[in-house]
Amino acid sequence: MQKTLLTFGDSNTHGTMPMTAASDNFRYGVGQRWPSVTAQALGSSWRLIEEGLPGRTATAACDPIMGAHMNGQIGLQIALGSHKPIDLLTIMLGTNDCKPYFGLTAQGIASAVAGLIAIAKDPDVQAKHGGFEILLIAPPVVQERGAFVAELWQAAGKSAALPALYADLAAHAGIAFLDASPHVTTCAEDGVHFDEIAHQTLGRLVAAKIASL
């Protein structure tokens, strides 16, 4: 029986290309962005649902620039209600939460991710899907440079602290964890997004992690 993978995240799950200006808006094609690389590596026994929204946050706080629809807490509830049943959910968020106007520490960002995990592990949600596994992915560390340097004030330090916090959170919640940082780096053009090689690397890494579960 074919299994379903739901990849929930932000612009790096969407496949946004590195941006030389904040107004750029280009996306890698199917087979280039990491979720589809993962799906190809897993083979025909898996079906992919991509849920990547540029600007999405883990926190429920309203983004004063991009809007309330960036709230990942509501977004995850919608995605899990729309796409059931699924067999595995990946969550890779936290980069946008590093923006200074949210006022979040690394611990605050991890706490927001804990809220996402709580939504996914809710017994009623799990029952409606027949049960599904969760893989939490710590995104690569942000660089304070490039097109978004003004939005990334003090973001690097917060971002660098997330993998350890996410690993502890995943262990506490009893879910799988993957740290992308040792394998993937963000691009110098904007300090946030991945080049195509990084997408290929992350896609294969996620597929190997899923195969080991």
Side-chain angles (χ1 to χ4, degrees), residues 91-95 113 135-141 159-167 176-184 194 202 205:
I91 300 173
M92 187 171 74
L93 284 172
T95 298
V113 172
L135 170 60
L136 176 61
I137 304 171
V141 176
S159 180
L162 293 180
L165 290 167
Y166 283 19
F177 171 72
L178 175 65
D179 181 10
S181 293
H183 311 277
V184 176
F194 310 160
L202 181 58
L205 192 67

Side-chain angles (χ1 to χ4, degrees), residues 4-10 12-13 34-36 38-39 42 46 48-52 56 76 79-80 86-93 113 116-117 120 132-138 175-178 202-203 205-207 209-211 213:
T4 299
L5 167 65
L6 173 61
T7 55
F8 188 76
D10 54 26
N12 280 321
T13 298
W34 76 259
S36 60
T38 295
L42 291 172
W46 284 84
L48 171 67
I49 299 172
E50 296 178 275
E51 271 289 349
R56 177 178 279 151
L76 183 58
L80 291 174
I86 66 168
D87 297 281
L88 196 148
L89 167 70
T90 66
I91 300 173
M92 187 171 74
L93 284 172
V113 172
L116 296 173
I117 295 170
F132 61 88
E133 294 188 81
I134 305 165
L135 170 60
L136 176 61
I137 304 171
I175 64 173
F177 171 72
L178 175 65
L202 181 58
L205 192 67
V206 173
K209 182 68 177 182
I210 290 173
L213 296 179

Side-chain angles (χ1 to χ4, degrees), residues 182-197:
H183 311 277
V184 176
T185 57
T186 54
C187 277
E189 287 93 334
D190 62 18
V192 172
H193 297 113
F194 310 160
D195 62 20
E196 187 176 350
I197 294 174

